[in-house]
Amino acid sequence: MSTELPQSSVPPPTGVDEPSSAPTRRTFIATTTVVGGAVVAGGVIGGTLLVEDEVAAAEAPPESRVSLTVNGTRRTVTVDNRTSLLDLLREHFGLTGSKKGCNAGACGACTVLVDGRRVNSCLTLAVRLEGAEVTTIEGLAAGDELHPLQQAFIDEDAFQCGYCTPGQIMSGVGCIQEGHTGSAEEIREWMSGNICRCGCYVKIVRAVEQTAGRK
């Protein structure tokens, strides 16, 4: 009986130390993951930056150059088209006498004169005032000499906290210039857009009457 084992048709295994040129499953997966991730990340990052640049360019607010006269001084400035006259006066020109109360045209604390007419500066776009003449509370006095209505407010003690006072005075000046001072009732009617939370309405009307020559 023969003791020889039959020869196997399977080739002998490669030596453990012999290097293999074919990639293993693990190295293939690792390589493709890294390369694929880099490509995807690069595409996302590049796309994101491109989109952000486009969005930033699209969201850049439109600006315009406007020239106007404020309290006798010619001013020229480039501003966002959405800038209100109130913000132009306060933030760009440093004229903080006009107050921001409601910022919705309901309280009158921001009242100024534009070409002699009263306006709520919080509702007035600055870019629409090309060539206009604007007068604020800072422009009423002639040096150290107060405007007659400013002096009347002091004489009649027509203020308490003082927050609404600039707007009240500017509105009172406009009311007088417009000729709406025929009676205390008419003054109250034409000054009704200016709110005084301290309730100094009676004294405010007296100050306007005094300035209008009724007293």
Side-chain angles (χ1 to χ4, degrees), residues 8 15 19 21 29 36 43 50 53 55 93 113 126 145 155 187 199:
S8 173
S21 60
I29 293 175
L50 181 59
D53 290 343
V55 170
F93 298 159
L113 301 181
E145 183 180 352
D155 296 340
I187 293 172

Side-chain angles (χ1 to χ4, degrees), residues 92-164:
H92 292 263
F93 298 159
L95 300 173
T96 57
S98 303
K99 304 304 181 188
K100 182 177 285 192
C102 63
N103 206 33
C107 72
C110 67
T111 303
V112 299
L113 301 181
V114 175
D115 295 331
R117 306 289 294 184
R118 293 176 285 174
V119 303
N120 290 321
S121 59
C122 70
L123 297 183
T124 305
L125 288 176
V127 294
R128 300 189 64 183
L129 299 179
E130 177 66 32
E133 299 229 4
V134 178
T135 304
T136 72
I137 190 68
E138 291 92 344
L140 282 186
D144 294 333
E145 183 180 352
L146 295 177
H147 185 279
L149 186 55
Q150 289 176 306
Q151 186 61 54
F153 262 66
I154 296 173
D155 296 340
E156 296 292 340
D157 194 22
F159 52 86
Q160 188 166 325
C161 78
Y163 193 83
C164 75

